[in-house]
Amino acid sequence: MEVRTAASPKDVKHYTTERLREEFLIQNLFQADETKLVYSHIDRIITGAAVPVKQTLELKAGDELRAEYFLQRRELGLINIGGDGVITVDGKTYEVCAREGMYIGRGSKNITFASKDASNPAKFYMNSAPAHTTYPTVHIKPEGEAQPGVVIIKDENKVETGCMEDCNHRIINKYIVTGQVDSCQLAMGMTRLLPGSVWNTMPAHTHDRRMEVYLYLDMDDDAFVMHYMGEPQETRHIVMHNEEAVISPSWSIHSGCGSRAYTFIWGMCGENQDYADMDHIANRDLK
């Protein structure tokens, strides 16, 4: 597990491009038959991925957590961005298809990942945060019929917003949010930009109560996103390519403009879970 420390905005304003990327950009997450994890001191979030191809992968705590098992003191959210897969939690099996997700509660001990088809492996993208209590493990589906242990994303959590005139027409699917899936502090979802739109999260905002991690996906090899970060009057950018993630401290804006439409997964943790708790910055005030 890679460990990264927190960063002060007073220092970040002096970072070179190389240093910005070293501190905040997460690359090479999705490796065949590997589980890769990055632990950030910013709200203690862990960002990771598991790509089981020929092997079944087990989620382990590692020495960094000083825990008997990964979720001894944590909760976990995940979304599958690859082919159909299978997740086993303490002996119970969940068939997690493409674009489906899971919330796995604190105290779950044995977690494994497998793919149904090695030629089209699952790609499980994960965010994990410290947890103070245990909430039920649930399988999250964008569509279908609710049943025990399965949550269907509610219509009010499928939000179409923005417009073509502003190049930010997008659909937000909220997977782990208050009123749909109970969690201690983790919130997670996926936003898809519609063809012709390239801007996400505009107008830009901060939320001092929560940090955030973005994973950019559904991009061609030659496509990119200019991810904007930093204090509103001290903005910086990081060039992002397909299936790369970026850490956004609570003091930083987090917005992007792509060479074409794309999708991104957002994961948040911190003081509250109020999705609408944002401090918006007018476009004219950005520097």
Side-chain angles (χ1 to χ4, degrees):
M1 188 184 304
E2 180 185 348
V3 177
R4 300 195 187 184
T5 55
S8 165
K10 294 180 181 179
D11 295 328
V12 171
K13 68 170 65 178
H14 301 295
Y15 284 2
T16 62
T17 297
E18 181 181 2
R19 182 70 187 280
L20 278 174
R21 293 172 66 86
E22 179 184 351
E23 295 290 342
F24 301 108
L25 177 64
I26 302 175
Q27 296 178 294
N28 304 315
L29 271 175
F30 298 92
Q31 300 297 312
D33 284 324
E34 289 187 29
T35 299
K36 298 199 69 175
L37 302 169
V38 176
Y39 182 111
S40 173
H41 284 193
I42 302 174
D43 283 317
R44 304 287 169 173
I45 195 168
I46 294 176
T47 301
V51 185
V53 181
K54 297 180 180 180
Q55 302 179 27
T56 296
L57 302 177
E58 181 180 359
L59 185 61
K60 298 181 180 180
D63 293 337
E64 294 81 2
L65 295 185
R66 297 294 193 271
E68 295 178 20
Y69 50 93
F70 190 88
L71 293 185
Q72 185 178 10
R73 301 182 296 269
R74 289 184 157 269
E75 59 187 357
L76 176 69
L78 60 86
I79 297 175
N80 181 9
I81 67 168
D84 295 347
V86 177
I87 298 176
T88 303
V89 181
D90 291 337
K92 185 174 182 178
T93 298
Y94 301 84
E95 295 188 0
V96 183
C97 299
R99 306 298 158 127
E100 295 180 355
M102 283 194 71
Y103 170 83
I104 304 177
R106 189 190 75 163
S108 300
K109 292 184 178 180
N110 300 308
I111 302 168
T112 61
F113 306 99
S115 292
K116 286 191 172 183
D117 182 357
S119 65
N120 183 27
K123 294 181 176 181
F124 296 111
Y125 174 70
M126 298 178 280
N127 287 152
S128 173
H132 60 269
T133 192
T134 299
Y135 287 107
T137 292
V138 292
H139 185 178
I140 307 165
K141 297 186 178 185
E143 297 177 346
E145 295 183 4
Q147 51 187 297
V150 177
V151 170
I152 307 301
I153 297 177
K154 298 177 181 179
D155 288 342
E156 59 263 35
N157 288 327
K158 300 176 182 178
V159 181
E160 186 171 348
T161 188
C163 61
M164 282 297 298
E165 290 77 8
D166 292 335
C167 300
N168 66 354
H169 192 195
R170 59 200 190 274
I171 298 175
I172 304 171
N173 284 282
K174 303 175 184 178
Y175 283 63
I176 302 172
V177 290
T178 301
Q180 180 167 271
V181 174
D182 291 328
S183 69
C184 290
Q185 61 168 316
L186 185 65
M188 200 170 181
M190 182 164 58
T191 299
R192 177 173 60 88
L193 274 70
L194 299 181
S197 287
V198 294
W199 279 100
N200 74 65
T201 320
M202 290 299 290
H205 62 262
T206 60
H207 30 66
D208 283 343
R209 277 79 38 203
R210 298 187 306 277
M211 64 82 66
E212 193 157 5
V213 175
Y214 277 6
L215 173 77
Y216 288 101
L217 64 148
D218 293 345
M219 299 161 62
D220 295 335
D221 287 344
D222 63 344
F224 65 91
V225 171
M226 303 290 282
H227 178 83
Y228 298 103
M229 63 165 295
E231 293 180 292
Q233 283 74 49
E234 282 282 353
T235 59
R236 301 291 185 269
H237 74 270
I238 297 177
V239 178
M240 309 284 302
H241 294 284
N242 192 44
E243 297 182 359
E244 294 182 341
V246 61
I247 300 168
S248 178
S250 57
W251 49 262
S252 174
I253 65 168
H254 36 282
S255 182
C257 185
S259 57
R260 59 181 305 168
Y262 52 90
T263 301
F264 67 98
I265 294 175
W266 42 269
M268 297 183 283
C269 66
E271 184 66 27
N272 70 21
Q273 297 168 294
D274 183 359
Y275 182 86
D277 180 15
M278 306 173 189
D279 298 315
H280 292 283
I281 297 99
N283 290 341
R284 63 180 178 273
D285 293 332
L286 291 170
K287 294 181 181 178

